[in-house]
Amino acid sequence: MLQTLRNAWKIPELRKKFLFTILLLVVFRFGSVIPVPWIDTTALKAWMNQGGNGTTLFDLLDTFSGGAFSQATIFAMSISPYINSSIIMQLLCVAIPALERMSKEGEEGRKKITAITRILTVVLAAVQAYGLYVTLYNKGAIMTVSGISPTVVMITIILSFTAGTAFLMWLGEQITGRGIGNGISMIIFAGIVSSVPSMLRSAWVNFGNAQQWYMLVFLAIFAIASIVFVILINQGERRIPVQYAKRVVGRKMYGGQNSNIPIKVAMAGVMPIIFAMSILSFPGTLVQLFASNDPNSWLVKVTTFITDGWIYPTLYFLLIVGFTYFYTSISFNPIEVSNNIKTNNGMIPGLRPGKPTTDYISKVLSRITFIGSICLAIIAVLPIVITMITGTQIAALSLTGTSLLIVVGVALETVKEVESQMLMRHYKGFLE
């Protein structure tokens, strides 16, 4: 990986893309420390610490934004409205035939889907910003300013949060078009990486000051082993061989080559973990929103039951497995793949085109999805189990699995894109 990046840096065109990407990520980090006016960050942090330990949606949002949420900056909502908008559009493209046809119209269809996604992002950002304002107001985190109308304060805060998300969406598109890698993924990557120093400082406070050096060594070994495991999962795939029949069109012969259908082990990526975490953190989030400190409250009882002992990691594990199957089923259609093979005069060796091919692909997909779901669940649950066994609370340790999947996945995709651009440049040089 380092050799690839070193070779890419020597190419002027790629070097400009690297510098452009780094510059925009620096802009992102600068925006992450620009505060939104009239918000009491001390009250905000005190409120967030009531849920704590990565068990609420706000902890997840704070991790993805690189600490911008807890500091109430203009990028506090990060790119989460865009992610939600993309997920909604992806689900709607499966459920609504008109959107499905639009998504298959090539470049023009993708442009229309992208435009709708942008509009939906701004709408979701405005709604989320209003909800965040109401929450902060109820928690006493909104300052009272003499001489300024509360309505003006509300509009300013909502517009600041919404504009920050819209600017991040534009920033991500610029990185995708003129830089290196997927812009949205790079922004999330930068936010997570920027929170690493605080996690290391938390580990030092918990173990270093207590002279528990063996725990620091264990955590270092665990981090390295987790990275290796995540890389293996991301790179793992099952290749189904496909043979295409020869066709003679005029005086030319087409087809006759052997190919394969790659089915990735971690096809669903990090989405099942995010879905599972969102559901499990919902009760704790409601407790924070509605300030349910009464131990006899049903909301507090439900939250306590979920987060108590081994119930939380068990439910977390099962939900990740379930959502992996769900997300894979909507992103990979064996019937469509089978029809494409049949249309192109192809076949899987030993199987007839049509239903036998569809059944075989579905069977392979089910087995691979099972393995992938178990691996994803282990990656996500293991840090929580370590926290329970050691009896110490390390900040955002329960988000380590999700963070590792995102960071490693983005790094591998970026390196692949750099390699493909270098290969394309060599081909151009050869043709010229």
Side-chain angles (χ1 to χ4, degrees):
M1 180 184 295
L2 295 178
Q3 184 63 33
T4 300
L5 297 177
R6 191 180 300 112
N7 294 335
W9 184 261
K10 297 177 183 178
I11 302 174
E13 181 182 355
L14 291 180
R15 190 189 309 128
K16 290 180 181 179
K17 290 188 175 184
F18 274 117
L19 293 175
F20 181 79
T21 302
I22 293 173
L23 177 62
L24 293 192
L25 292 180
V26 170
V27 172
F28 161 64
R29 289 310 302 161
F30 269 117
S32 298
V33 297
I34 299 177
V36 173
W38 306 315
I39 295 182
D40 186 357
T41 55
T42 304
L44 174 60
K45 291 179 179 179
W47 165 59
M48 288 188 63
N49 289 334
Q50 293 176 2
N53 304 325
T55 59
T56 67
L57 289 173
F58 303 111
D59 297 301
L60 179 64
L61 184 60
D62 191 48
T63 300
F64 285 173
S65 64
F69 182 84
S70 59
Q71 298 175 7
T73 67
I74 58 174
F75 293 159
M77 296 193 304
S78 186
I79 206 68
S80 60
Y82 180 84
I83 296 175
N84 296 333
S85 176
S86 300
I87 294 173
I88 291 173
M89 287 303 300
Q90 188 174 4
L91 295 175
L92 290 179
C93 285
V94 176
I96 302 178
L99 290 177
E100 185 178 4
R101 289 193 299 270
M102 187 184 298
S103 64
K104 296 180 180 179
E105 291 177 357
E107 187 63 27
E108 289 301 320
R110 284 193 292 271
K111 287 182 179 179
K112 294 178 182 178
I113 295 294
T114 302
I116 297 174
T117 304
R118 290 172 182 165
I119 296 174
L120 184 58
T121 298
V122 176
V123 173
L124 290 178
V127 173
Q128 186 172 332
Y130 175 75
L132 183 57
Y133 167 80
V134 173
T135 302
L136 294 176
Y137 181 82
N138 292 335
K139 301 305 175 183
I142 303 297
M143 299 179 182
T144 302
V145 184
S146 59
I148 300 180
S149 171
T151 304
V152 174
V153 173
M154 179 186 70
I155 293 175
T156 302
I157 293 175
I158 293 175
L159 288 180
S160 297
F161 285 142
T162 305
T165 297
F167 181 75
L168 280 183
M169 178 177 64
W170 177 83
L171 213 63
E173 292 177 351
Q174 295 302 308
I175 294 176
T176 302
R178 300 169 58 186
I180 294 292
N182 181 281
I184 303 301
S185 299
M186 293 297 290
I187 289 175
I188 298 175
F189 176 89
I192 293 175
V193 170
S194 64
S195 63
V196 170
S198 63
M199 295 177 65
L200 294 177
R201 184 168 58 253
S202 176
W204 175 262
V205 170
N206 279 277
F207 300 121
N209 294 341
Q211 301 297 319
Q212 295 178 342
W213 303 106
Y214 63 93
M215 285 301 302
L216 293 175
V217 175
F218 170 76
L219 288 176
I221 296 175
F222 171 74
I224 295 174
S226 299
I227 292 174
V228 173
F229 185 65
V230 170
I231 292 175
L232 293 176
I233 296 303
N234 272 278
Q235 298 293 84
E237 62 182 21
R238 167 74 158 85
R239 297 178 180 178
I240 300 177
V242 179
Q243 292 180 349
Y244 291 95
K246 294 181 180 180
R247 296 183 298 157
V248 178
V249 180
R251 295 184 178 181
K252 293 184 179 180
M253 181 177 294
Y254 296 91
Q257 76 273 19
N258 296 327
S259 183
N260 59 74
I261 303 173
I263 301 180
K264 295 183 69 65
V265 175
M267 183 182 298
V270 75
M271 296 310 301
I273 297 180
I274 294 178
F275 287 158
M277 187 179 296
S278 299
I279 290 179
L280 287 180
S281 62
F282 191 66
T285 304
L286 291 179
V287 170
Q288 282 190 308
L289 290 176
F290 297 107
S292 300
N293 296 322
D294 182 10
N296 296 321
S297 169
W298 68 269
L299 197 57
V300 175
K301 290 181 179 179
V302 170
T303 305
T304 305
F305 174 78
I306 292 176
T307 58
D308 184 33
W310 292 92
I311 296 178
Y312 183 86
T314 303
L315 292 176
Y316 197 19
F317 190 96
L318 295 176
L319 283 174
I320 291 174
V321 173
F323 277 122
T324 301
Y325 274 95
F326 169 75
Y327 198 80
T328 302
S329 65
I330 66 173
S331 60
F332 189 93
N333 189 348
I335 298 177
E336 184 177 348
V337 174
S338 176
N339 291 336
N340 290 336
I341 294 175
K342 184 178 180 180
T343 302
N344 293 294
N345 294 322
M347 63 172 292
I348 296 176
L351 296 173
R352 290 181 300 172
K355 191 175 185 304
T357 299
T358 302
D359 294 340
Y360 177 76
I361 295 176
S362 300
K363 182 179 179 181
V364 173
L365 180 64
S366 177
R367 292 177 176 178
I368 295 299
T369 302
F370 176 75
I371 297 174
S373 63
I374 296 299
C375 292
L376 285 177
I378 291 174
I379 293 172
V381 172
L382 196 56
I384 302 177
V385 174
I386 291 177
T387 301
M388 295 175 61
I389 294 175
T390 57
T392 57
Q393 297 292 344
I394 302 176
L397 182 59
S398 60
L399 301 175
T400 302
T402 310
S403 303
L404 274 178
L405 280 171
I406 295 175
V407 170
V408 174
V410 172
L412 292 176
E413 289 179 4
T414 304
V415 171
K416 285 183 179 179
E417 181 175 338
V418 171
E419 290 177 345
S420 63
Q421 293 196 21
M422 291 175 63
L423 186 62
M424 186 184 304
R425 183 180 181 277
H426 290 319
Y427 275 124
K428 287 182 179 180
F430 175 75
L431 294 174
E432 293 172 356

